[in-house]
Amino acid sequence: KKLAADLVEQLGLSVRTIMVDAGHGGKDPGARGFGLMEKDVNLRMVLILGKILRERGFRIIYTRTTDDFLALEERTSLANAKKVDLFVSIHCNAHNDPGMNGLETYSLNLARTPDAVRVAARENSVSDKNISDLQMILTDLMLTSKIKESVDLARVVHRQGLTAIRSKWTVADHGNREAPFYVLMGAKMPSALIEIGYITNKTESARLKSDAYLKILANGIADGIMDYKQQIERFNGK
């Protein structure tokens, strides 16, 4: 894994095209809370994030820009077909405990904590996969995922996003986690899934209604992507 990550630097690879994915959509509303539907918040956030990233010089491709349904597997297939350099999926979290709040960022791997299992199970619930697909899923997870590169991306995006939010608000840090998300599986590029807040928490739900909150968080995420870009380009003079 270390050699693979070093190879990104050795080959002088760069980040030019980013696919930003608004989770859920259409017949799949995602989580709900305090009059909000996750699919709507995700789309607002993605359009804000995409604009900021474009202003910073990246080419941006969206999985959706309207209230459309896309199967989880279609999203990374589209990223692979478009040969994008990074895949970033935006989601809102949810919990039975209305007091639960905070930010967390995921990269693709097997889940290591009960909370990661819970989040993955919720986000994967719209898929039509069955137990008979397990071997194919495990093979895909282990062979095609860019695990080390994705961890690096998730870490810097999470750190900068959290820093941006904490400049104005108090927010819990749930850190970087790993889980087997279908929406990240099969991606041939580094990928991360960002849970931008708990829609089931009254305070965070109110923030998620605000474009001002989303813009500050989006700028932090963009800062993280810039950090990742600089990290892999540090030796190639680009």
Side-chain angles (χ1 to χ4, degrees):
K1 291 178 185 176
K2 184 179 186 303
L3 288 173
D6 290 345
L7 191 59
V8 171
E9 295 177 1
Q10 293 172 41
L11 294 177
L13 303 182
S14 184
V15 177
R16 295 183 180 87
T17 305
I18 302 172
M19 179 165 282
V20 281
D21 170 48
H24 306 279
K27 66 181 182 180
D28 172 24
R32 301 169 187 255
F34 299 96
L36 289 178
M37 286 192 290
E38 182 187 355
K39 66 176 183 176
D40 298 330
V41 178
N42 296 342
L43 183 56
R44 283 172 47 228
M45 178 61 170
V46 154
L47 294 176
I48 291 169
L49 176 60
K51 182 175 184 290
I52 290 170
L53 289 170
R54 188 177 287 115
E55 289 169 352
R56 297 196 187 197
F58 295 102
R59 177 173 175 252
I60 301 302
I61 301 175
Y62 301 93
T63 53
R64 67 181 182 95
T65 57
T66 56
D67 186 20
D68 295 319
F69 175 78
L70 281 85
L72 298 177
E73 297 83 355
E74 287 180 54
R75 300 173 190 243
T76 43
S77 292
L78 182 60
N80 292 338
K82 296 290 185 179
K83 297 184 178 179
V84 305
D85 301 310
L86 298 179
F87 180 85
V88 178
S89 188
I90 300 294
H91 291 257
C92 298
N93 221 327
H95 202 283
N96 291 333
D97 176 4
M100 183 65 72
N101 68 94
L103 298 182
E104 56 204 70
T105 306
Y106 286 87
S107 53
L108 183 67
N109 207 333
L110 299 178
R112 301 171 190 273
T113 68
D115 272 344
V117 171
R118 172 186 59 79
V119 175
R122 183 176 65 79
E123 298 292 5
N124 288 338
S125 62
V126 71
S127 174
D128 59 1
K129 289 283 194 293
N130 297 309
I131 289 177
S132 58
D133 298 306
L134 181 58
Q135 185 57 54
M136 178 192 68
I137 292 167
L138 288 174
T139 300
D140 199 29
L141 176 62
M142 292 298 104
L143 294 183
T144 68
S145 62
K146 300 289 183 288
I147 291 176
K148 173 62 170 64
E149 301 96 309
S150 296
V151 168
D152 291 343
L153 173 65
R155 281 177 179 163
V156 290
V157 163
H158 181 79
R159 181 178 68 244
Q160 294 286 27
L162 189 70
T163 298
I165 290 303
R166 284 182 167 174
S167 68
K168 285 199 67 173
W169 294 280
T170 300
V171 61
D173 177 13
H174 295 299
N176 293 103
R177 298 176 173 181
E178 295 175 304
F181 291 102
Y182 287 137
V183 74
L184 301 182
M185 212 169 285
K188 295 178 180 178
M189 68 293 299
S191 60
L193 184 147
I194 307 166
E195 298 279 1
I196 62 173
Y198 280 78
I199 204 169
T200 47
N201 177 271
K202 186 175 182 180
T203 299
E204 289 198 341
S205 183
R207 291 176 186 170
L208 293 169
K209 290 179 183 178
S210 162
D211 279 355
Y213 174 84
L214 297 182
K215 284 177 183 175
I216 288 174
L217 178 55
N219 269 298
I221 292 170
D223 287 343
I225 290 172
M226 292 296 293
D227 283 356
Y228 179 79
K229 182 178 188 289
Q230 290 167 9
Q231 176 183 320
I232 66 170
E233 292 178 359
R234 57 188 168 176
F235 298 124
N236 65 18
K238 291 182 181 176

